[in-house]
Amino acid sequence: MTTLTKQQQDPAARAGLPKAGKTARRSLTNRLGDLKVALFFIFPAMIGFVLFYLVPTIRGVYLSFTEYSILGDPTWIGIKNYTAMLGDELFWNAMGVTVQYVGLNIGFQTLIALGLALLMHRVAKSTFIRGALLLPFLVANVIVALLWFWMLDYQMGIVNEIISWMGLPRIAFFGSEQWAIPTIAAVNVWRHMGYTALLLFAGLQSIPNHVYEVASLDGASPTRTFWSITMPLLRPVMVLVLVVTVIGSFQVFDTVAVTTAGGPVNASRVIQMYIYQKAFGESDFGYASALSVILFLILALVAFVQMKFLKGNESDLD
Amino acid sequence: MSTSTLTRKKSVNNNSSHRNSVKKPVNWRRVGAWALVAIAVAVTVAPFLWMLRTALSSNASLASNAGNLLPADFSLGAFKRVLGMQTPEEAIAEGGSGAAINFWLYLRNSVIFASVTTAGQVFFSAMAAYAFSRLRWPGRNAVFGLFLATMMVPPIFTALPNFLMIKNLGLLNTFAGMTLPFLFMTPFAIFFLRQFFLSMSREVEEAAMLDGAKHLRIFFQIVLPNAAAPLATLALLTFIGQWNEYFWPLLVGQDESVRVLTVGLGVFKSQSPQGAPDWTGLMAATLVAAVPVLLLFIAFGKKVVNSIGFSGIK
């Protein structure tokens, strides 16, 4: 019986052979044909890629070696923009302010988001709660900034009302040098914590259940389970989330632009605000380009270090 | 994955209900955890309620009732002012600053900017994703790698040269200048769609080929309809992102005729004199500007929430 069926199959296979040969021959011509079709399909995206990604990247690097005030032509000045940066106090101030912002923002955001993700994972999986926590992320930065600008107002803001009820002195959140950056960081933590929590939550869900079951059989405490299982297995997701959020928060602009515009004095002039002011306030496009090259290099370095140091590509599950 | 989490949830529930029926101990851990969830939701939602409460107040009585939970001297004046249904005299009488926001114009501009960029970006990215996933051609992976690499370039870096190019083309303060950089692609959109296109079965496509269908027909009649869900998700995320975009429209769309809502709100805020900002008007304006996103979210919330995990991790 089995031999019969095999024999029955054989002719079918033999019948298929010439067909396979035909497709093999056709695939060679298909290759060229596909190239033509592919060029057609990729053409619009290619325009966008070349005009708005590739050329500007090259031009940005070129402009950073020039003096360019938009009125005349750019003049090549070598690395003068970069050497000028070394003695530019406002640049170092902007760097310091930005790093301070990123540290505060990422520190609190990651801790709170991790807490929220664990809560979502263990207690409240409902889409409604996840949606509620995501809400601030979906609303424009500008709207979030204006909302908190009102709530943190020195005279009439609800937060200062509560502070004064508690008998404490009011705080000029956006108006004082030591509070401006922590305030902006807090506002953005509020906006992003639900989003980051959702990313980490997705990571938590991908940790297989049996790992936890084994741990509980071994009598591991919840704390032990968290540090020995959850955190190591969450690491690849955590690295990705950190890379994305650190890179994002280095480029903070909208909130600063709407609330403090870099003030008071220079207290909240983050690097992107400084680039914006150099280019569009002082028409110094060469210097502004050099600043954005430095920002680009910092971001690339941050991503590289994070990936390497935390071994982001490897998963302990494999 | 989803089934395993489901069963796990069920077993956890069973355990706790079982335990409750036997000894009824209060599970303080769980109560505490739910309290934390409640606090988190309250912290997230309360500011939006405060926005509404302020928008429904009148500026004149806001100062004397700063801490009152209900609207101070309930009034729809702020909304009327924002929607252009109040004369400057009335606005000033109500405690507004007299600064105007041309809401309907900015709304129209935002709709044009966000929908044109979304439609173009999703469609052209889908075309490119088709070439990167369903077609075989030499250099495919190299070109795709190049596209992906530009995901690393921060927007501020390309913004300056892009601004110069748009300016040189004479497209400042035009919708063309505002939409062009977003119109054709983003590396993320192509990457996102390519992942889905790769997972589609080839059989239907091959059957269509044997019937003599050309690539354009396959793209429009097989690939796009079968990828309706991911396309819709991407369109939704793109639209929300573009609706909220501030930096690029601030650079090239300053003119009143093309000014979008985000830029308009910034201008409205800076127009009010430092002494007496039009808080109720400002909150009414921000609330109304957020409405489209809120509506989209109410309609497609589940889709957005579930896609965040995908877009971040994959």
Side-chain angles (χ1 to χ4, degrees):
Chain A
M1 277 293 229
T2 45
T3 47
L4 234 176
T5 47
K6 258 188 185 166
Q7 273 174 340
Q8 271 174 337
Q9 270 174 357
D10 262 332
R14 230 178 288 137
L17 257 178
K19 212 179 174 187
K22 222 185 204 174
T23 46
R25 226 176 303 135
R26 206 197 287 148
S27 78
L28 194 70
T29 49
N30 264 0
R31 232 166 227 270
L32 297 170
D34 269 9
L35 180 63
K36 243 194 248 165
V37 179
L39 285 178
F40 169 77
F41 273 97
I42 214 172
F43 185 66
M46 205 47 134
I47 294 179
F49 174 74
V50 172
L51 282 187
F52 298 108
Y53 286 87
L54 193 62
V55 169
T57 302
I58 297 163
R59 194 172 178 201
V61 176
Y62 162 72
L63 285 177
S64 76
F65 295 106
T66 67
E67 193 177 323
Y68 185 34
S69 69
I70 225 177
L71 293 168
D73 289 323
T75 37
W76 184 267
I77 54 166
I79 58 163
K80 245 170 102 185
N81 283 327
Y82 293 95
T83 49
M85 237 180 266
L86 293 174
D88 180 356
E89 272 178 38
L90 283 178
F91 164 70
W92 291 109
N93 174 69
M95 272 300 162
V97 169
T98 309
V99 168
Q100 191 196 347
Y101 167 81
V102 173
L104 283 172
N105 185 57
I106 297 302
F108 284 103
Q109 183 173 302
T110 312
L111 282 179
I112 293 172
L114 185 61
L116 287 176
L118 287 168
L119 282 175
M120 285 192 232
H121 188 57
R122 305 291 294 273
V123 187
K125 275 201 168 89
S126 95
T127 315
F128 176 77
I129 289 173
R130 277 187 274 157
L133 293 174
L134 191 64
L135 193 58
F137 177 74
L138 297 172
V139 175
N141 270 321
V142 175
I143 289 175
V144 168
L146 289 173
L147 171 60
W148 283 98
F149 194 65
W150 158 234
M151 297 218 312
L152 296 174
D153 183 60
Y154 185 77
Q155 292 291 341
M156 288 155 66
I158 181 66
V159 176
N160 267 318
E161 285 295 313
I162 295 170
I163 288 174
S164 73
W165 279 338
M166 299 195 306
L168 299 166
R170 287 170 180 262
I171 299 169
F173 286 102
F174 289 108
S176 65
E177 285 185 46
Q178 79 265 35
W179 277 103
I181 277 296
T183 302
I184 291 165
V187 168
N188 281 330
V189 167
W190 178 79
R191 182 173 186 260
H192 289 274
M193 61 185 187
Y195 174 73
T196 312
L198 262 185
L199 296 182
L200 293 175
F201 170 73
L204 286 176
Q205 293 229 304
S206 67
I207 298 175
N209 225 355
H210 61 81
V211 189
Y212 286 109
E213 278 155 16
V214 171
S216 78
L217 280 180
D218 287 350
S221 69
T223 328
R224 179 75 205 276
T225 310
F226 176 76
W227 288 111
S228 309
I229 296 178
T230 309
M231 280 313 274
L233 290 184
L234 194 60
R235 200 194 57 211
V237 175
M238 188 61 116
V239 172
L240 253 176
V241 167
L242 277 175
V243 171
V244 171
T245 53
V246 169
I247 287 178
S249 65
F250 257 104
Q251 301 173 71
V252 57
F253 177 80
D254 301 3
T255 318
V256 178
V258 173
T259 56
T260 64
V265 197
N266 302 316
S268 66
R269 183 181 286 144
V270 290
I271 191 75
Q272 181 148 338
M273 192 74 210
Y274 190 45
I275 294 172
Y276 172 77
Q277 287 173 341
K278 274 285 166 199
F280 299 97
E282 301 170 30
S283 278
D284 197 347
F285 270 78
Y287 194 68
S289 299
L291 288 171
S292 44
V293 169
I294 293 299
L295 177 61
F296 186 11
L297 291 179
I298 290 173
L299 296 184
L301 187 73
V302 165
F304 179 77
V305 168
Q306 279 177 325
M307 291 307 250
K308 270 277 167 245
F309 196 63
L310 298 163
K311 287 180 275 176
N313 309 324
E314 294 163 30
S315 166
D316 289 349
L317 273 180
D318 302 329
Chain B
M1 190 186 84
S2 58
T3 50
S4 73
T5 52
L6 260 179
T7 49
R8 177 155 180 253
K9 197 181 175 188
K10 229 182 251 170
S11 68
V12 167
N13 281 344
N14 284 345
N15 279 342
S16 58
S17 64
H18 181 67
R19 226 183 286 149
N20 282 347
S21 64
V22 178
K23 278 198 266 169
K24 285 209 171 178
V26 182
N27 189 342
W28 287 111
R29 272 189 108 98
R30 225 170 156 73
V31 171
W34 272 105
L36 285 177
V37 172
I39 291 171
V41 172
V43 166
T44 313
V45 174
F48 290 103
L49 296 177
W50 197 247
M51 194 194 240
L52 179 67
R53 174 259 179 204
T54 309
L56 290 172
S57 301
S58 100
N59 268 325
S61 358
L62 207 53
S64 47
N65 289 296
N68 201 330
L69 285 181
L70 290 172
D73 188 14
F74 181 87
S75 155
L76 290 173
F79 284 104
K80 283 189 188 155
R81 189 153 66 250
V82 167
L83 300 178
M85 298 188 298
Q86 202 178 41
T87 62
E89 293 76 36
E90 284 175 315
I92 290 164
E94 281 227 356
S97 61
I101 178 165
N102 203 340
F103 180 80
W104 296 108
L105 180 65
Y106 301 164
L107 179 76
R108 185 205 70 168
N109 295 342
S110 273
V111 168
I112 294 175
F113 174 70
S115 31
V116 168
T117 49
T118 302
Q121 194 181 112
V122 172
F123 180 72
F124 294 134
S125 295
M127 282 178 72
Y130 179 76
F132 282 126
S133 61
R134 313 303 292 182
L135 302 170
R136 312 223 166 278
W137 41 287
R140 183 176 82 155
N141 291 335
V143 177
F144 183 64
L146 198 62
F147 273 47
L148 271 195
T150 48
M151 262 210 259
M152 283 299 299
V153 183
I156 175 73
F157 188 75
T158 45
L160 296 186
N162 278 340
F163 170 83
L164 294 173
M165 171 158 37
I166 293 298
K167 187 182 188 302
N168 291 343
L169 291 171
L171 293 176
L172 283 189
N173 295 316
T174 65
F175 280 114
M178 286 166 72
T179 53
L180 273 175
F182 304 101
L183 193 62
F184 298 106
M185 65 158 285
T186 63
F188 171 73
I190 293 176
F191 175 71
F192 182 90
L193 290 176
R194 177 179 167 271
Q195 295 302 102
F196 283 100
F197 290 178
L198 278 176
S199 66
M200 283 172 142
S201 103
R202 277 201 166 267
E203 282 162 23
V204 191
E205 201 176 318
E206 273 162 8
M209 280 263 200
L210 288 179
D211 286 348
K214 288 271 181 283
H215 283 285
L216 266 181
R217 256 192 73 195
I218 290 173
F219 178 67
F220 278 105
Q221 297 193 340
I222 295 172
V223 173
L224 287 191
N226 276 315
L231 282 168
T233 304
L234 179 66
L236 196 62
L237 290 177
T238 311
F239 187 87
I240 292 175
Q242 291 298 102
W243 187 269
N244 294 339
E245 174 74 27
Y246 178 68
F247 192 61
W248 184 251
L250 177 73
L251 299 189
V252 302
Q254 278 287 0
D255 192 74
E256 181 94 6
S257 62
V258 292
R259 191 182 290 161
V260 296
L261 270 173
T262 47
V263 180
L265 286 174
V267 173
F268 183 58
K269 184 235 152 191
S270 56
Q271 270 176 353
S272 15
Q274 286 301 311
D278 179 0
W279 289 121
T280 64
L282 204 52
M283 287 302 106
T286 50
L287 196 59
V288 181
V291 160
V293 169
L294 298 180
L295 288 180
L296 276 177
F297 192 52
I298 290 166
F300 304 106
K302 209 165 188 168
K303 195 158 241 169
V304 178
V305 170
N306 292 333
S307 66
I308 295 294
F310 175 85
S311 63
I313 305 302
K314 289 270 164 165

